[in-house]
Amino acid sequence: MDTRGLYLNRWTPNFNPKLDVPNVVLVWVRLPHLPLHCWGDESMKAIGNVVGKYIDGSEQKENMHACARICVEVDLGKGLLEVVKINVNKWTHIQ
């Protein structure tokens, strides 16, 4: 899908695909190679609120340390960030 997303709208008899485009959508954001000390609930919420509005995080499963995932609400007018800079004291990580 490249940079375009796929979304579903509820169909109604007067549905117009050119006009019925959502302004805000929920997206799952993958955070590959996120350091393990950033996998806590508060860290995930902080990262999610930089990207958009944090909604939820996926449950960590066995052998799932390669990629964290969070669900965020994104304003399509603003778009989705390509990178997030994480600062903890003097430690910095580009995600």
Side-chain angles (χ1 to χ4, degrees):
M1 303 277 309
D2 196 29
T3 58
R4 293 168 295 192
L6 173 68
Y7 60 90
L8 299 174
N9 275 354
R10 183 183 306 261
W11 185 86
T12 61
N14 59 353
F15 173 74
N16 183 336
K18 292 184 180 184
L19 298 177
D20 295 333
V21 178
N23 295 325
V24 176
V25 295
L26 296 179
V27 296
W28 281 96
V29 177
R30 294 177 60 218
L31 302 168
H33 310 294
L34 183 69
L36 288 177
H37 65 274
C38 295
W39 281 54
D41 290 337
E42 293 304 313
S43 297
M44 293 294 194
K45 287 178 186 175
I47 294 168
N49 286 326
V50 170
V51 174
K53 179 183 174 190
Y54 176 85
I55 302 298
D56 194 12
S58 66
E59 292 293 321
Q60 185 175 349
K61 297 178 182 161
E62 193 174 318
N63 298 324
M64 194 181 113
H65 298 293
C67 187
R69 294 185 329 135
I70 54 175
C71 182
V72 295
E73 184 179 88
V74 176
D75 181 343
L76 293 179
K78 294 179 182 177
L80 191 60
L81 297 175
E82 290 188 32
V83 297
V84 174
K85 185 176 182 180
I86 302 169
N87 294 310
V88 179
N89 297 324
K90 294 182 179 183
W91 178 84
T92 300
H93 176 72
I94 302 295
Q95 181 67 51

